Amino acid sequence: MRFLARVLVITGLLLASLGAGLAEPLASWNDGPAKQTIQSFVQRVTDAKGKDFVPPEQRIAVFDNDGTLWVEQPMYTQLAFALDRIKALAPDHPEWQSNPRLKAAIDGDMKALAATGEKGLVELMMVTHAGMTPDDFQSIVSDWLAKAEHPRFKKHYTDLVYQPMLELLGYLRDNGFTTYIVSGGGIEFMRPWTDKAYGVLPAQVVGSSIKTKFEMVDGKPVLMRLPEVNFVDDGPGKPIGINQHIGQRPIAAFGNSDGDLEMLQWTTAGDGARLGMIVHHTDAEREYAYDRDSTFGRLDKAMDMAPAQGWVLIDMKNDWKQIFPAAQ
Amino acid sequence: MRFLARVLVITGLLLASLGAGLAEPLASWNDGPAKQTIQSFVQRVTDAKGKDFVPPEQRIAVFDNDGTLWVEQPMYTQLAFALDRIKALAPDHPEWQSNPRLKAAIDGDMKALAATGEKGLVELMMVTHAGMTPDDFQSIVSDWLAKAEHPRFKKHYTDLVYQPMLELLGYLRDNGFTTYIVSGGGIEFMRPWTDKAYGVLPAQVVGSSIKTKFEMVDGKPVLMRLPEVNFVDDGPGKPIGINQHIGQRPIAAFGNSDGDLEMLQWTTAGDGARLGMIVHHTDAEREYAYDRDSTFGRLDKAMDMAPAQGWVLIDMKNDWKQIFPAAQ
């Protein structure tokens, strides 16, 4: 490391410890096994003299998004977006009325839509997510998020992020980690708001994607979103997406459903100190209580495997003092 | 921005200015239009009071690799690797001898190989680059780079990086830029060594890729490289790869061939201050002189378009005091 870089890192670490002394990290976490697991792991990998020390450039932490960083009930936010969007676009597309899958979506008939299976969902995504530039899509998403309200909490979706997880993201970054989102959700659905909501820059978001095409339009270079699946960043896709985007195996992974199983396996199978944690939704009063039987965010196999794998469950009801950030 | 982060950034900037005062930046660049273009651009986008100011998180600079950061003659280094590799593997694969395309590669018969066209090259890449885990592939690459020598310069390939470009990468980073490689070369061929050679971390490397598969082998999660093209990060693929990996439009792009044309267009078509530069290989004595007629790194259309697009050519012979780093 060059001298200047070394000075910067040392200064940063000094200031970070100073900062850590000023504000209690993980303030919304109750003292308990989950908080202790996190603190002990961070202590071990940052102790330059310890056997588990990990240099900062290898301190990669990956986070699922839906149900891990923000609410995913009563349905994924991106699905709520797609349903609002298809309703808004429907008047210009009378031909959609003769397609039973799209008609179910337009009518908001969730039972009929669910009955169409994956085909109906993919079709809904394609007609609402393709046919515009990434910039235009991001504007559409931002405009929607600024207006849409969660049906139960009557708040904007970006206000329904988990305060304890925000503190965890910050705590890890203050300790030299780079924090990534690795989500089954659309990469370009997330990128417009993850920096503001989580401090996660666009380049640190990994997600599912549709294909894009480069073309010249009126002498200007344009990217166009195509109605064709490019990559599904879920289940076994998560380690593949991590390998493709990050190119390093994470040392810590946080998820909440069976869609995070392979990411947890991939992360914790590496050598040295590893951390795998699962947010368990146990709080019907303040948020939701669900696991094995949920349509969205089903947690079944990963929960069975957790003890043997050393993955620690975060019990939302007992581990978290507060669920959402205080209203501003 | 939180207070602590702000303090860190300000401290960093102060120390960086201090550092800039100690060592002459761009020391291997002759004073001339190329160096002036770079310095003036950096001055404009970092001047917090100027109209062209760009906040640090948007200071994204992208660099082609072959011919822009290191030597690409007499052939791409990755092709030299593939030819050495197929020779090493051939004894275990007698069946390759009956395939004229692979036989040409094994025999090092470049004329016959070239005559097989893209099909032969893709086949060569698949048999030498697939069938192992990413970790194993990176070890194979690292071992090869530690031994292989460039046929003319008799040095390791990683010693044949361009000293002025190393200084440029550092100068941009010292000024708050994030530097990315965006190369037609294989993403996992580059990642093992770009941090050491260029200070570019694996997550900041964008390149071509083959598909990978996640599987459990003897109870352990494994990624396996498949003989199937996933993404070609060249020409129109470069803006697509940038959008996919970085999710932001760069404000500066550096290339050297027509394969960088769309990346230059995409970068410089954005609003505000933009920089597009092309390394022009004009120095047959110290390196190579080639452009319109070269098999590797052909520079033709992009050179014709440069004046109207405001892209500035870097004249290797006249702009660079030194080509390669001094021997250590």
Side-chain angles (χ1 to χ4, degrees):
Chain A
M1 204 187 298
R2 285 159 313 154
F3 171 73
L4 183 64
R6 198 183 289 269
V7 168
L8 283 174
V9 166
I10 291 170
T11 313
L13 290 176
L14 285 174
L15 285 166
S17 355
L18 198 74
L22 294 175
E24 161 84 9
L26 307 178
S28 302
W29 292 72
N30 284 313
D31 288 321
K35 183 175 180 177
Q36 282 160 19
T37 298
I38 295 165
Q39 288 179 319
S40 144
F41 173 77
V42 169
Q43 195 277 326
R44 282 159 60 208
V45 300
T46 56
D47 175 2
K49 290 180 184 159
K51 71 171 178 53
D52 289 328
F53 179 73
V54 176
E57 66 273 15
Q58 289 171 28
R59 290 182 208 153
I60 308 277
V62 288
F63 289 80
D64 169 59
N65 185 39
D66 297 306
T68 298
L69 296 179
W70 75 347
V71 170
E72 66 181 348
Q73 300 291 355
M75 70 175 78
Y76 297 134
T77 305
Q78 192 172 358
L79 179 55
F81 163 77
L83 290 171
D84 277 2
R85 185 81 193 140
I86 197 168
K87 268 181 222 121
L89 294 171
D92 294 335
H93 295 273
E95 75 279 11
W96 290 350
Q97 299 292 336
S98 55
N99 176 327
R101 294 177 296 279
L102 295 180
K103 189 167 183 321
I106 295 166
D107 296 344
D109 183 343
M110 294 305 290
K111 209 168 159 182
L113 180 64
T116 69
E118 197 184 316
K119 192 174 174 190
L121 281 175
V122 169
E123 217 168 328
L124 166 65
M125 287 305 182
M126 293 306 141
V127 300
T128 52
H129 284 61
M132 72 291 279
T133 69
D135 279 356
D136 287 345
F137 181 68
Q138 299 206 350
S139 297
I140 292 166
V141 171
S142 299
D143 290 349
W144 181 81
L145 284 170
K147 282 185 224 142
E149 276 195 353
H150 186 276
R152 171 177 160 195
F153 296 109
K154 309 295 178 200
K155 285 185 169 192
H156 294 315
Y157 289 96
T158 47
D159 292 331
L160 298 174
V161 298
Y162 303 133
Q163 174 64 26
M165 297 305 282
L166 297 183
E167 293 165 9
L168 176 56
L169 285 163
Y171 175 64
L172 292 175
R173 288 192 294 255
D174 286 346
N175 280 284
F177 280 76
T178 305
T179 53
Y180 285 86
I181 291 172
V182 177
S183 167
I187 192 167
E188 294 195 306
F189 180 78
M190 295 182 280
R191 280 174 165 165
W193 53 272
T194 56
D195 184 15
K196 200 172 162 211
Y198 305 130
V200 174
L201 288 169
Q204 283 137 23
V205 178
V206 181
S208 297
S209 57
I210 58 179
K211 288 196 188 292
T212 52
K213 185 187 168 190
F214 177 89
E215 54 192 1
M216 297 298 293
V217 176
D218 300 332
K220 289 199 70 172
V222 166
L223 288 176
M224 185 54 63
R225 289 167 60 81
L226 304 178
E228 195 182 336
V229 174
N230 179 56
F231 181 66
V232 178
D233 190 57
D234 197 30
K238 289 201 175 192
I240 295 169
I242 288 168
N243 186 59
Q244 180 72 13
H245 277 257
I246 308 176
Q248 291 177 266
R249 196 192 293 237
I251 64 168
F254 303 85
N256 77 299
S257 79
D258 285 357
D260 304 311
L261 177 54
E262 288 85 353
M263 175 170 85
L264 287 161
Q265 287 179 310
W266 176 245
T267 300
T268 59
D271 296 330
R274 302 281 156 164
L275 178 61
M277 296 188 84
I278 296 172
V279 175
H280 190 197
H281 293 262
T282 50
D283 196 329
E285 198 176 317
R286 294 185 301 171
E287 203 242 10
Y288 295 93
Y290 60 97
D291 44 44
R292 296 185 197 276
D293 300 319
S294 180
T295 306
F296 301 103
R298 180 193 311 268
L299 174 63
D300 183 33
K301 208 175 155 195
M303 189 155 60
D304 289 339
M305 289 172 62
Q309 298 286 328
W311 303 334
V312 175
L313 267 67
I314 296 165
D315 177 343
M316 193 175 255
K317 186 169 179 176
N318 293 305
D319 282 323
W320 289 359
K321 287 182 193 164
Q322 182 182 338
I323 308 285
F324 302 122
Q328 315 231 322
Chain B
M1 205 185 298
R2 285 160 311 152
F3 171 73
L4 182 64
R6 199 183 290 268
V7 169
L8 283 174
V9 167
I10 292 170
T11 314
L13 291 175
L14 284 174
L15 285 166
S17 356
L18 197 75
L22 295 175
E24 161 83 8
L26 307 178
S28 302
W29 292 71
N30 284 314
D31 289 320
K35 183 177 180 177
Q36 282 160 20
T37 298
I38 294 165
Q39 289 180 317
S40 143
F41 174 77
V42 169
Q43 196 275 323
R44 282 158 61 208
V45 300
T46 55
D47 175 2
K49 289 179 183 163
K51 71 172 177 56
D52 289 328
F53 178 72
V54 176
E57 65 273 15
Q58 289 171 31
R59 290 181 207 153
I60 309 277
V62 288
F63 289 80
D64 170 58
N65 184 38
D66 298 304
T68 298
L69 296 179
W70 75 347
V71 169
E72 66 181 350
Q73 300 289 355
M75 70 175 77
Y76 297 134
T77 304
Q78 192 172 358
L79 180 54
F81 163 76
L83 291 171
D84 278 1
R85 185 80 194 142
I86 198 169
K87 266 180 223 121
L89 293 172
D92 293 333
H93 294 274
E95 74 279 12
W96 290 350
Q97 299 291 338
S98 54
N99 175 328
R101 295 177 296 279
L102 294 180
K103 187 169 188 320
I106 294 166
D107 296 346
D109 183 344
M110 295 305 289
K111 211 169 159 182
L113 181 63
T116 69
E118 199 185 313
K119 191 175 172 187
L121 281 176
V122 169
E123 218 167 326
L124 167 63
M125 287 305 182
M126 292 307 140
V127 299
T128 53
H129 284 60
M132 71 292 276
T133 70
D135 279 355
D136 287 344
F137 181 67
Q138 299 205 351
S139 297
I140 293 166
V141 171
S142 298
D143 291 348
W144 181 81
L145 284 170
K147 283 185 222 143
E149 277 196 354
H150 186 275
R152 172 175 159 196
F153 296 109
K154 310 292 177 203
K155 286 185 168 192
H156 293 315
Y157 288 96
T158 46
D159 292 330
L160 298 175
V161 297
Y162 304 133
Q163 174 63 26
M165 297 305 281
L166 296 183
E167 294 166 8
L168 175 55
L169 285 163
Y171 175 63
L172 291 175
R173 288 193 292 256
D174 287 345
N175 280 283
F177 281 75
T178 306
T179 53
Y180 285 85
I181 291 172
V182 178
S183 167
I187 191 167
E188 295 194 306
F189 180 78
M190 295 182 281
R191 281 174 164 167
W193 53 273
T194 55
D195 184 16
K196 199 173 165 211
Y198 305 131
V200 174
L201 288 170
Q204 282 137 23
V205 178
V206 182
S208 297
S209 56
I210 59 179
K211 289 197 188 291
T212 52
K213 185 188 169 190
F214 176 89
E215 55 192 2
M216 297 300 292
V217 176
D218 300 331
K220 289 199 72 173
V222 166
L223 288 176
M224 186 54 59
R225 291 167 58 80
L226 304 177
E228 195 182 336
V229 174
N230 179 56
F231 181 67
V232 178
D233 190 58
D234 197 32
K238 290 202 176 192
I240 294 170
I242 288 169
N243 186 60
Q244 180 72 15
H245 278 257
I246 308 176
Q248 291 177 266
R249 198 192 291 238
I251 64 168
F254 303 85
N256 78 300
S257 79
D258 285 356
D260 304 311
L261 177 53
E262 288 85 354
M263 176 170 83
L264 288 161
Q265 287 179 309
W266 176 246
T267 300
T268 58
D271 295 331
R274 301 281 157 164
L275 178 61
M277 297 190 82
I278 295 172
V279 175
H280 190 197
H281 293 262
T282 51
D283 195 329
E285 199 175 316
R286 294 186 299 171
E287 203 244 8
Y288 295 93
Y290 60 98
D291 44 43
R292 295 186 197 277
D293 300 320
S294 181
T295 305
F296 300 103
R298 181 195 309 271
L299 174 63
D300 184 35
K301 208 172 155 198
M303 188 155 60
D304 290 339
M305 289 171 64
Q309 297 287 327
W311 303 334
V312 175
L313 268 67
I314 296 165
D315 177 343
M316 192 175 256
K317 185 170 182 175
N318 293 304
D319 283 323
W320 289 358
K321 288 182 191 164
Q322 184 182 337
I323 307 285
F324 303 122
Q328 315 230 322

